[in-house]
Amino acid sequence: MREDRLFEILGTTTDTRMNPTGTWRYFRPVIADRQPPCAAVCPAGNNIREFVQLAAEKDFHAALAAVKKENPLPSTCGRVCHHPCTANCSRNGVDSPLAVNLIERKLGDMVQKHSACLPAPRAATGKTVAVVGSGPAGLAWAYHAALLGHTVTIFESESAPGGMLRWGIPAYRLPRKKLDGDLHFIDTLGIELRTNHPIQDLKELDGYDAVCLALGAHASRRLDIPNQDMPQVWGGLSFLRAVNSGDAPDTGKRVIVIGGGNTAMDCARAAMRLGAKATVCYRRTRGDMPALPDEIAEAEAEGVAFEFQVMPSGIDGKAPFVTVEFTRTRMGEPGPDGRCRPEAIPGSKFELDADTVITALGEMPETGWLPAEFIAKAGALSADPITCLVNTTARSGLFAAGDASAWGGRTVSHAIGAGKRAAIAMDIFLNGEMESAQDILARITVGDTGVLSSRMYRDGLPQAPVAVVAALDINKAHVLKTAPVAIKHLDAAERMTGFDEVNMGWSEDDAAAEAGRCMRCGSCTSCGTCLLFCPDISVIQGADGRPDFDSEYCKGCGICLRECPRGGIVLVEEEK
Ligand SMILES: Cc1cc2nc3c(=O)[nH]c(=O)nc-3n(C[C@H](O)[C@H](O)[C@H](O)COP(=O)(O)OP(=O)(O)OC[C@H]3O[C@@H](n4cnc5c(N)ncnc54)[C@H](O)[C@@H]3O)c2cc1C
Ligand code: SF4
Ligand code: SF4
């Protein structure tokens, strides 16, 4: 009997359409755009998949326009952002992650002067707004505020805009020509820039409809040891400021840098370029250093020496050089921040001689001129983390962003994301919609770090695809391994001859080739993998040209989404 049935089926002249397996279904596959893992963690809110795809197609102008919808500073970010996009790229489990930062850098460099790449601003609102500070947070605020149709003025105490991008980060990481190229938008969007104009009293800003404080963190923390005010002892920011203004001090041959953050790395690397031998002394271990891993590696490649687990206990300055007394440390119990506290090892004192000592122990905002009610911890402004509104009754419409604010990461791309958030919240405030601010901001939140999309706010687009593609959603077995495009660096010896850029970047072809490695995670590209693997042959072409699923035959087995190489399909429960 069994054999008879088998014969019947094998012998049939009909096809599998006689077996409508769709009736078995509890779940239904649908094509769904989701946020790729790279963009989900970009603090500036870049639409990475879009600009990378356009770069792969060599439509560089459109690619830059896509970046500029969210981020005014691509040349800068492509150079100094800590690029979490790369760490989170799905190619990590295949071969090596995409250098999204270098693609962004190339786009910024290639066409940054083309004002046509900027989004069209909204019609003028007649509102005048001001930002204090022209670091990345203030610049992003000014950019997005201008795109929203407001008349913007930037007040900056220094002689040129950029904040730490100009006076902190040295030119071998961010050439000033490239920074200036990014700042082209100031003129194009008609933003008024008042340099050499420190604001010392909020009353000076009384006439503005809204104000943002983007003051940064410029006060160097001090060592708690005697003799630190000697002329041979420099604060890290003062030293870098002098170097970056073309007025570098004579450091002598031996420089000790005390600290383990980005400022310490830049001080040591700059001192090496001035002809000194720099030694970085840090009280914790190498793994505890807050500096970016790339910076530590570059410093090591350039010959900077390191002394870990040492802390200074005194400075003796009998000219012409100084002697710093150090004590070796071991890691003690965790402190309130969860990090183990270094504690002195008795009897472990030793001395190092130096011609110059540079202290780089971290920076705090200079907010002493503001009313005490504005200030949260360590001089930072007590702004609301969602709306950036400063917690004060002294003035309405006062926002804060960047390093001066009590929340958010202290990096360039975080400052850009915070400036954007504060600008959008300011627009909501000027529209009298502050009560719905949380809902409006939630609708334009992209990714899982809470960053906003300015494009979605301006264009009034529907909610962003906040769901993020997980690593398990991507079937990496179908992804062809491709070698990453090589990154060229100046030879270590050549670097010491000046402040030329170390990372030599890419040609257009290089950038397009690297962009071509992108798997376009979270977006169906009609590659046909689902069609190949569907056991019910129920993948059909949908109205938009992308795959659709024939409900008569799809039994909801989910094989299509298990096979999808980019996580472009999800299963939804069938309504019965
Ligand atoms: C040496 C160094 C290296 C760094 N390297 C990196 C890096 O590689 N990658 C990274 O992501 N981050 C890096 N950072 C951190 C990064 O630079 C900051 O997080 C970022 O610049 C903060 O931006 P901001 O706009 O809040 O402040 P800032 O960039 O500090 O800008 C604040 C601006 O406000 C102005 N200002 C302040 N008070 C007033 C006032 N009362 N009136 C008028 N103007 C005023 C200041 O002059 C300044 O121009 C580095 C920082 C330092 C110090
Ligand atoms: S801003 Fe930073 S995280 Fe965002 S795309 Fe650029 S390099 Fe990546
Ligand atoms: S492969 Fe492309 S879309 Fe996927 S995480 Fe990497 S850069 Fe983003």
Side-chain angles (χ1 to χ4, degrees):
M1 187 64 188
R2 249 178 99 82
E3 280 162 8
D4 289 352
R5 281 192 63 190
L6 183 64
F7 180 75
E8 250 175 49
I9 293 167
L10 287 175
T12 184
T13 51
T14 59
D15 57 28
T16 55
R17 276 175 288 191
M18 67 176 274
N19 194 3
T21 44
T23 54
W24 307 3
R25 199 172 55 241
Y26 289 97
F27 290 92
R28 178 164 53 90
V30 289
I31 299 291
D33 283 331
R34 288 185 286 174
Q35 198 66 274
C38 51
V41 295
C42 169
N46 274 339
N47 190 343
I48 297 176
R49 192 174 55 216
E50 183 185 3
F51 82 71
V52 168
Q53 184 173 336
L54 289 162
E57 291 161 9
K58 294 199 172 181
D59 190 349
F60 296 116
H61 197 276
L64 182 67
V67 178
K68 290 272 183 176
K69 285 178 188 163
E70 302 294 347
N71 179 1
L73 307 175
S75 273
T76 301
C77 280
R79 287 175 165 83
V80 302
C81 175
H82 59 301
H83 52 97
C85 50
T86 299
N88 227 32
C89 172
S90 309
R91 277 206 96 100
N92 269 306
V94 178
D95 35 37
S96 61
L98 243 76
V100 176
N101 54 330
L102 293 185
I103 300 169
E104 186 181 11
R105 164 183 157 154
K106 186 66 198 169
L107 294 174
D109 288 1
M110 281 170 63
V111 270
Q112 62 185 353
K113 290 221 162 131
H114 292 208
S115 51
C117 287
L118 298 184
R122 273 191 188 166
T125 61
K127 303 279 185 196
T128 58
V129 298
V131 58
V132 186
S134 67
L139 289 167
W141 191 89
Y143 179 76
H144 292 290
L147 290 180
L148 289 166
H150 306 301
T151 304
V152 184
T153 303
I154 303 175
F155 291 96
E156 170 54 58
S157 53
E158 296 287 352
S159 56
M164 285 303 176
L165 305 177
R166 189 176 299 278
W167 308 109
I169 297 176
Y172 58 78
R173 291 208 285 130
L174 177 57
R176 298 306 183 253
K177 243 173 50 184
K178 302 301 179 188
L179 170 61
D180 289 339
D182 269 350
L183 302 188
H184 191 251
F185 75 84
I186 296 178
D187 286 344
T188 313
L189 294 178
I191 295 168
E192 185 186 9
L193 172 64
R194 293 203 207 165
T195 50
N196 297 311
H197 197 127
I199 297 292
Q200 279 146 354
D201 188 339
L202 271 187
K203 287 201 170 47
E204 293 177 65
L205 306 167
D206 270 354
Y208 291 96
D209 294 304
V211 167
C212 180
L213 299 174
L215 312 172
H218 289 233
S220 294
R221 279 180 217 278
R222 284 169 61 81
L223 278 171
D224 193 17
I225 57 173
N227 289 335
Q228 62 177 301
D229 293 321
M230 297 174 50
Q232 298 98 323
V233 183
W234 284 75
L237 288 186
S238 314
F239 174 74
L240 288 172
R241 196 180 190 298
V243 171
N244 290 324
S245 323
D247 193 19
D250 178 4
T251 58
K253 286 284 169 209
R254 297 162 302 175
V255 170
I256 289 179
V257 179
I258 301 172
N262 282 324
T263 309
M265 292 308 101
D266 279 333
C267 289
R269 296 179 68 190
M272 297 285 288
R273 284 164 172 77
L274 298 174
K277 171 73 190 166
T279 304
V280 170
C281 299
Y282 180 53
R283 62 194 184 132
R284 291 188 159 99
T285 63
R286 188 188 193 285
D288 294 321
M289 287 176 79
L292 300 175
D294 289 357
E295 292 311 302
I296 303 170
E298 294 288 355
E300 281 172 335
E302 290 167 11
V304 171
F306 288 83
E307 280 277 358
F308 294 111
Q309 296 195 274
V310 297
M311 60 187 179
S313 38
I315 298 180
D316 182 6
K318 295 189 187 64
F321 59 85
V322 284
T323 301
V324 186
E325 182 190 79
F326 286 97
T327 307
R328 296 209 179 270
T329 65
R330 63 186 163 215
M331 300 317 275
E333 292 301 311
D337 59 356
R339 297 177 82 196
C340 290
R341 286 169 172 249
E343 52 187 42
I345 301 176
S348 66
K349 286 199 163 87
F350 67 101
E351 291 180 344
L352 288 179
D353 294 335
D355 301 298
T356 300
V357 175
I358 303 172
T359 60
L361 307 164
E363 296 85 25
M364 293 176 304
E366 285 178 310
T367 46
W369 56 279
L370 287 162
E373 60 165 317
F374 288 20
I375 312 301
K377 53 178 184 180
L381 295 162
S382 67
D384 181 275
I386 306 290
T387 60
C388 303
L389 199 61
V390 175
N391 181 17
T392 176
T393 49
R395 190 199 200 284
S396 68
L398 185 66
F399 297 84
D403 280 7
S405 170
W407 58 269
R410 284 192 164 195
T411 73
V412 170
S413 47
H414 281 98
I416 290 171
K420 178 182 357 184
R421 177 177 283 274
I424 294 172
M426 176 273 297
D427 190 68
I428 294 171
F429 165 80
L430 291 178
N431 292 336
E433 295 172 334
M434 215 52 187
E435 278 179 9
S436 341
Q438 302 241 359
D439 291 342
I440 299 172
L441 295 174
R443 274 206 300 278
I444 56 165
T445 297
V446 284
D448 53 6
T449 58
V451 72
L452 303 180
S453 165
S454 175
R455 171 187 60 105
M456 294 184 68
Y457 182 71
R458 284 194 310 278
D459 298 352
L461 294 178
Q463 176 150 16
V466 277
V468 177
V469 176
L472 276 178
D473 295 336
I474 289 172
N475 190 332
K476 292 174 179 167
H478 297 307
V479 182
L480 282 182
K481 290 191 181 186
T482 48
V485 176
I487 302 170
K488 296 168 218 107
H489 291 100
L490 265 193
D491 174 60
E494 223 177 311
R495 296 182 201 176
M496 294 306 123
T497 60
F499 282 75
D500 285 350
E501 188 167 22
V502 170
N503 185 323
M504 294 159 79
W506 279 337
S507 67
E508 291 174 23
D509 286 344
D510 287 341
E514 181 74 354
R517 298 177 63 239
C518 176
M519 289 147 54
R520 299 183 194 169
C521 309
S523 171
C524 170
T525 61
S526 304
C527 68
T529 308
C530 47
L531 175 70
L532 278 180
F533 283 89
C534 175
D536 290 304
I537 318 175
S538 56
V539 178
I540 52 176
Q541 192 174 42
D544 60 357
R546 300 211 284 186
D548 199 356
F549 302 94
D550 187 338
S551 56
E552 287 289 298
Y553 299 98
C554 168
K555 62 179 181 288
C557 66
I559 287 177
C560 51
L561 68 104
R562 292 279 162 256
E563 295 298 336
C564 178
R566 46 191 59 82
I569 307 172
V570 294
L571 275 188
V572 294
E573 202 167 347
E574 194 62 275
E575 284 171 24
K576 288 278 176 188

